[in-house]
Amino acid sequence: MAEVKACKVCNINRHKYYGLAVTSLDQLKIKGGEALGFSPSASVTVVLEDDGTIVEDEAYFLCLPANTKFMLLHADETWMHSHQVDAGTAQSCRKSTDVEVDGKDNVDGFESWHSLAEQLRQDLASIILMSEADLQSLIDVPCSDLAAALDFSQQKTQVLQDTLQRMLDRREEERQSKELLRLYLKAMEQEGTWDPQEQSARLDETDGVQVEAAAGFSSITLMVLKDKKYPETRLSNEELQMVAGHGVEVMMEVLGWDSERTSALVQACESELSKRLQRVQALQSLSAQNQSTSQPHTERETRAKRRKTHTH
């Protein structure tokens, strides 16, 4: 008997997410199409809702974790990021809170930025620990919506979003600097050199789907780790901790890399994590110093007011 997989489906507008229990990719198309009101004869493409990855391999589908969000597209439709949807549709998406998941109401598709906003409301220093995707999602939120979630003025919220954008720009500049250094070192090497071990490692890379699912990484995180240069600058604090916590041997199986390349990645993630935590501690220490400095000043003002009152 085939294993039953719980998942969620939506259409291109993301108005609602429906919870389904299916045993195969074909059954997902059939039951998902019925839930979304698609014609039985319609040609349907299944993609991952968060990044638009096309899902057409049955083995890949079965290895995805439970409650993965899928988007069903008609033949003439193309996946778009949620913030690329036109303003009217996006507004109706934000207002929709009656999402069905296995017969129960759930939060809408904008839950992620709301949870990030709550983190910021409790501690602004948490922006240092966020991934680039998290930062970008907060930047893309309309200023008025984010201000309401944070209980900030729109002016203060705009300053915050500008700060988030500068953080993204700084990480990009850091990657460019590393890339320039890499190109410089490569140019210093003798021309025509070729590393057969490195080339063999690239050819031997596997998708490692089963190991990836077991390790708990999302498809987006794995894409960043495998395909992006200097991925440690793009990941969140939690994702960096996962890489460091799994260690070299597990990450070798997840990524299909050799020990040298994997060790370099794990060390880079550990270094980036340490650097971010030091920044948070510095901010917290500075904040504590400011509070302790302002306290005596406040007490002096209070005593001065009392003396004036007694004098009068």
Side-chain angles (χ1 to χ4, degrees), residues 36 100-101 121 125 142 152 156 159 167 201 213 228 254 257 299:
L36 296 169
E100 289 184 24
V101 179
R121 195 176 67 82
F152 284 0
K156 184 176 180 180
V159 171
M167 288 191 65
K228 302 296 183 181
V254 170
W257 292 355
E299 292 178 354

Side-chain angles (χ1 to χ4, degrees), residues 172-184:
E172 179 60 29
E173 290 172 0
E174 182 179 349
R175 282 195 296 274
Q176 290 178 359
S177 297
K178 289 182 177 180
E179 179 64 12
L180 286 174
L181 178 59
R182 186 188 69 82
L183 293 174
Y184 172 76

Side-chain angles (χ1 to χ4, degrees), residues 158-269:
Q158 186 60 60
V159 171
L160 174 62
Q161 288 185 311
D162 291 343
T163 301
L164 299 178
Q165 184 62 59
R166 286 196 295 273
M167 288 191 65
L168 277 180
D169 294 341
R170 186 167 67 247
R171 293 188 187 182
E172 179 60 29
E173 290 172 0
E174 182 179 349
R175 282 195 296 274
Q176 290 178 359
S177 297
K178 289 182 177 180
E179 179 64 12
L180 286 174
L181 178 59
R182 186 188 69 82
L183 293 174
Y184 172 76
L185 294 175
K186 185 176 180 180
M188 295 294 290
E189 296 176 355
Q190 184 177 0
E191 291 185 5
T193 58
W194 177 69
D195 187 347
Q197 287 187 338
E198 180 179 353
Q199 184 68 18
S200 176
R202 291 181 178 273
L203 293 175
D204 291 341
E205 287 180 0
T206 61
D207 57 8
V209 174
Q210 294 180 343
V211 179
E212 293 165 6
F217 291 104
S218 70
S219 58
I220 295 179
T221 302
L222 289 167
M223 179 185 69
V224 171
L225 288 171
K226 288 185 175 183
D227 302 334
K228 302 296 183 181
K229 293 181 179 179
Y230 314 111
E232 69 276 6
T233 63
R234 303 173 186 266
L235 301 179
S236 69
N237 181 53
E238 182 180 358
E239 291 165 335
L240 290 172
Q241 287 177 325
M242 288 178 64
V243 174
H246 283 312
V248 176
E249 291 187 2
V250 173
M251 294 307 301
M252 284 175 61
E253 295 183 25
V254 170
L255 300 172
W257 292 355
D258 59 32
S259 61
E260 182 178 357
R261 186 179 179 188
T262 307
S263 179
L265 171 66
V266 173
Q267 290 177 8
C269 289

